[in-house]
Amino acid sequence: MAPIYIFQYLIISLCVQAFGVFVYIVYYTDFLLPTQVLESKVYDYIIVGSGTAGSLIAHRLATETNYTFVVIEAGGASNPLYEIPILGPMLHGSPYDWQYETIPQENACLAMEGNKCKLTQGKIFGGSAKLNNMIHIRGNISHYVNWFHGAHSESYIRQQFDFIEDNIIQLNKLRFTSQLSDYILEAAKELGYEELNNEYKIGFGKPLVSQINGKRWATSDNVKQKHVLINTVVEKLLFKKNRCYGIQLVNKKLFARKGVILSAGAFNSPKILQLSGVGPAKLLQSLEIQLVQELPVGKNLQDHIGTGLDLVLFNYSLSINAFNFFNALHVYNYFSQGKGPLTTTGCEVVGFVSTKSDTQPDIELMVLPVGISADRGSHLRNILRINDEVWNNYFAKLFDKHASTILALILHTKSKGEVYIKSKNPYIPPLIDPKYFTDGEDVKILVTAVKMIKEFIQTEKMKSFGAYLNEIPFPGCEGHKFFSDSYLECYIRHLTLSVFHPIGTCSMGLPDNKNSVVDTSFKVIGLDNLYVVDASVLPTLPSSNINAAIAMMASVFFDSQIKRKNIGQCHKRQRCFINYLSKDMCLKGDILLHCV
């Protein structure tokens, strides 16, 4: 390694380590502080998990009902510095990340240590929305209608999106992009693609992001701290016959009058259910856990996976790089105006394309202006667990170039995995086997998608910008002709990447379907007072980043299962009058009422 790159590595590593020390100090200071004193042991609703779904439900409970509730969060509180978008990846692998990983994969993740892919999930007040790319895209509305098996119309779901986008979620355009984004959009036009809107269709565009004044924003920002118990692990749910009446914490129990709402995510919601006796009978019996309800909890795991890191090269640096954070002007612009490179989400353009000449896309392309070689191996390589051979013989050879990524993701994987506990101890991580690429069709689609990336690089617009293809043979694939189908299959199976969109492990469906864990009202089948509302209930992957779909589902749950039950309940000392025009209408019998 040349001296200049060693110097860069040392400088970046020093800054990474300094921020890491800061993170640990903040985390353990909060962790060691006296825990919040609960107002009660009994609440109308207990929400387990403060991610997008849990926090949205909590916010609407606080602002639209008189119900009492508490949010239980296993992770720590956030910090103003964590809201700087460019620092999002710095929390990956930190105490604010569950630091989950797959079990060794036979058909994928071959470039990673132990053939295990990293599965980042937020362990922080706000959940994974505090670590993600902040992208908000509705996706294909018709898919959501299918999830509910006709219980809700397309018009109703659009209304839900309209409501949360207008009243709950903070959405804004990107406040900074590199030169690459405009060239990509021009290249997309050159290839015949249209501009993308906020919904589902083939095309390219700059996404809306959940930011406010350039700062990361999450639904948890709407929730008051008094309603949240942080650094608190739920050990199990409490049942009396088929009714869930509360939760077990490390040294206390909390009780729910109307419902326990699991919103702990696609890995932790099934884990908590299984620890509580809800899941596959054979698994629970092997761990001597009393069976409460046999359901396919943990099955049907799906994820958006792809490839393409550092595949686009330039002979000069773009306006965003690993050293932006050290620029005093950029720091000033962020804190004074909420602008500049520090506001970057990491993804500047998204595109939806079809590998089958269809009107429905099966691939998402995410344009990332900086590759993982940019930090010289100080952090990004470690959070992905890239092994030494691949790093030294591929990524480390790019230090004299500016590497960017057009990440190709398969939208609807046919390969499905599972999540299951391996112990009765709630502090031991679950085993996660996504079974990536066990269905060969997934590989074929990604092979075509990587060829599409090459088409982009070879457009006149991209060539005029100085872009060219990284032609270093990928370690382990040297025996194949470069960029042949067999080479690309080898490349994909080695450089397998999750964008951390796991879903499906507590799938929604009709009660008589053998794959269903919750019904279309989000209630766990066969059990009362227990609901699951998070990414785990999505039976299939959305045709977009998943955060918008999760927020919509949480809003549907609130309206259909909580607000409807609260209808007709006015605040004390209030009277109800007939009023068909008010936004605050409630229903009592067949008469619309308004509380005043």
Side-chain angles (χ1 to χ4, degrees):
M1 187 184 296
I4 183 62
Y5 304 135
I6 295 174
F7 176 73
Q8 291 173 345
Y9 171 80
L10 292 174
I11 292 295
I12 298 174
S13 292
L14 180 63
C15 294
V16 168
Q17 294 300 321
F19 186 77
V21 170
F22 171 79
V23 166
Y24 273 86
I25 290 173
V26 171
Y27 176 80
Y28 285 106
T29 299
D30 285 343
F31 191 82
L32 295 173
L33 288 175
T35 57
Q36 176 184 339
V37 177
L38 294 173
E39 297 178 354
S40 171
K41 288 187 176 181
V42 183
Y43 297 87
D44 291 319
Y45 288 98
I46 297 173
I47 302 171
V48 181
S50 68
T52 294
S55 289
L56 188 148
I57 295 166
H59 168 64
R60 296 196 66 183
L61 277 167
T63 57
E64 299 180 45
T65 77
N66 295 316
Y67 289 139
T68 59
F69 69 94
V70 64
V71 180
I72 310 298
E73 171 54 51
S78 188
N79 180 280
L81 282 184
Y82 304 164
E83 313 307 321
I84 302 175
I86 201 172
L87 292 181
M90 297 297 296
L91 295 182
H92 293 209
S94 77
Y96 298 100
D97 177 3
W98 283 96
Q99 300 186 41
Y100 288 156
E101 61 184 9
T102 69
I103 68 171
Q105 298 293 287
E106 295 182 6
N107 303 292
C109 309
L110 304 182
M112 283 66 175
E113 296 173 1
N115 296 358
K116 300 177 183 178
C117 273
K118 182 73 166 58
L119 298 171
T120 291
Q121 292 284 280
K123 188 182 181 184
I124 185 172
F125 179 43
S128 295
K130 292 294 185 178
L131 281 71
N132 67 5
N133 290 110
M134 296 160 273
I135 293 172
H136 181 94
I137 300 175
R138 290 185 176 189
N140 188 339
I141 304 295
S142 67
H143 287 177
Y144 310 145
V145 174
N146 293 337
W147 292 348
F148 288 106
H149 295 274
H152 302 298
S153 67
E154 186 170 317
S155 174
Y156 174 80
I157 291 173
R158 289 183 186 277
Q159 290 171 8
Q160 288 291 337
F161 274 118
D162 289 342
F163 174 79
I164 61 175
E165 290 166 1
D166 292 342
N167 299 281
I168 297 179
I169 299 176
Q170 295 287 341
L171 295 176
N172 284 283
K173 295 180 179 179
L174 295 170
R175 295 174 75 92
F176 176 87
T177 58
S178 70
Q179 315 97 301
L180 178 60
S181 61
D182 290 333
Y183 276 87
I184 284 285
L185 292 177
E186 289 297 322
K189 290 181 182 178
E190 187 177 326
L191 291 172
Y193 292 105
E194 296 180 358
E195 184 177 353
L196 186 71
N197 62 20
N198 193 36
E199 294 193 12
Y200 168 89
K201 72 171 190 176
I202 291 175
F204 284 77
K206 296 180 182 180
L208 290 175
V209 292
S210 52
Q211 289 185 357
I212 182 168
N213 297 324
K215 182 186 78 168
R216 177 185 292 273
W217 186 92
T219 55
S220 57
D221 292 352
N222 284 333
V223 182
K224 294 181 179 178
Q225 192 67 46
K226 69 177 183 179
H227 295 300
V228 184
L229 197 61
I230 61 170
N231 295 314
T232 304
V233 173
V234 173
E235 295 189 342
K236 65 177 181 179
L237 308 173
L238 301 175
F239 291 95
K240 185 174 183 180
K241 295 184 178 179
N242 68 338
R243 182 177 183 272
C244 181
Y245 66 89
I247 60 174
Q248 176 69 58
L249 306 179
V250 63
N251 56 2
K252 64 171 70 74
K253 296 178 181 179
L254 297 180
F255 306 102
R257 299 185 189 94
K258 295 183 176 294
V260 173
I261 303 167
L262 270 183
S263 296
F267 299 140
N268 287 319
S269 284
K271 173 188 171 184
I272 293 170
L273 286 172
Q274 291 172 2
L275 287 168
S276 309
V278 182
K282 186 176 180 180
L283 168 67
L284 302 183
Q285 289 166 2
S286 70
L287 296 172
E288 298 182 345
I289 296 174
Q290 183 178 353
L291 182 66
V292 174
Q293 181 75 5
E294 182 172 11
L295 290 169
V297 174
K299 304 290 185 181
N300 194 46
L301 172 63
Q302 299 161 61
D303 193 4
H304 285 146
I305 53 171
T307 196
L309 284 179
D310 294 39
L311 200 56
V312 185
L313 301 182
F314 300 88
N315 284 321
Y316 55 89
S317 181
L318 302 186
S319 57
I320 182 168
N321 53 61
F323 297 93
N324 281 125
F325 190 69
F326 311 128
N327 187 313
L329 178 61
H330 295 332
V331 175
Y332 172 78
N333 284 339
Y334 175 80
F335 285 103
S336 65
Q337 303 177 51
K339 296 180 179 179
L342 271 64
T343 68
T344 182
T345 68
C347 175
E348 296 188 344
V349 173
V350 293
F352 296 93
V353 300
S354 173
T355 63
K356 300 175 181 177
S357 300
D358 198 350
T359 57
Q360 296 188 357
D362 54 2
I363 287 291
E364 178 178 0
L365 298 177
M366 297 177 66
V367 179
L368 317 177
V370 178
I372 68 165
S373 56
D375 71 356
R376 306 303 186 240
S378 60
H379 181 64
L380 299 176
R381 173 249 175 121
N382 296 326
I383 63 175
L384 291 175
R385 311 246 174 102
I386 303 292
N387 67 42
D388 289 342
E389 179 189 2
V390 171
W391 180 259
N392 294 330
N393 294 305
Y394 189 77
F395 293 103
K397 292 184 176 182
L398 303 175
F399 290 170
D400 60 338
K401 309 287 191 301
H402 182 101
S404 298
T405 295
I406 302 178
L407 190 66
L409 303 170
I410 184 168
L411 288 173
H412 302 291
T413 55
K414 289 185 167 59
S415 305
K416 297 179 181 180
E418 57 190 1
V419 177
Y420 47 94
I421 56 173
K422 57 182 177 181
S423 168
K424 296 169 69 173
N425 186 339
Y427 298 91
I428 293 179
L431 293 173
I432 304 171
D433 184 6
K435 301 181 180 179
Y436 292 148
F437 300 139
T438 51
D439 191 308
E441 184 65 21
D442 293 343
V443 178
K444 292 179 181 178
I445 291 173
L446 276 179
V447 165
T448 304
V450 177
K451 291 179 180 179
M452 289 181 170
I453 296 175
K454 185 178 180 180
E455 289 178 5
F456 262 89
I457 300 171
Q458 293 179 334
T459 59
E460 292 301 319
K461 196 64 181 180
M462 291 297 289
K463 285 193 290 186
S464 72
F465 189 42
Y468 61 99
L469 184 70
N470 177 2
E471 295 185 351
I472 299 174
F474 200 85
C477 303
E478 299 93 338
H480 302 272
K481 181 181 177 182
F482 183 74
F483 237 75
S484 64
D485 285 2
S486 63
Y487 172 86
L488 292 177
E489 178 174 346
C490 177
Y491 172 81
I492 289 164
R493 292 190 185 278
H494 277 74
L495 193 59
T496 312
L497 304 169
S498 167
V499 287
F500 318 127
H501 293 170
I503 63 99
T505 50
C506 300
S507 286
M508 174 184 289
L510 299 176
D512 58 355
N513 189 310
K514 66 178 182 179
N515 297 317
S516 301
V517 173
V518 302
D519 61 23
T520 55
S521 70
F522 300 86
K523 188 176 79 70
V524 176
I525 293 168
L527 298 172
D528 295 330
N529 238 40
L530 179 60
Y531 304 89
V532 183
V533 190
D534 58 25
S536 70
V537 305
L538 277 54
T540 58
L541 281 159
S543 297
S544 63
N545 301 63
I546 66 175
N547 200 60
I550 293 170
M552 178 275 293
M553 297 283 276
S555 186
V556 169
F557 166 76
F558 179 85
D559 276 351
S560 62
Q561 301 305 314
I562 294 180
K563 191 171 184 179
R564 186 178 67 179
K565 294 178 182 178
N566 188 52
I567 284 170
Q569 298 185 18
C570 293
H571 290 277
K572 292 179 180 179
R573 300 178 183 177
Q574 289 180 329
R575 292 177 298 148
C576 280
F577 293 95
I578 297 176
N579 186 338
Y580 287 87
L581 300 177
S582 171
K583 293 181 179 179
D584 299 317
M585 290 185 294
C586 50
L587 181 66
K588 193 170 186 180
D590 293 322
I591 305 175
L592 287 170
L593 303 165
H594 175 50
C595 298
V596 295

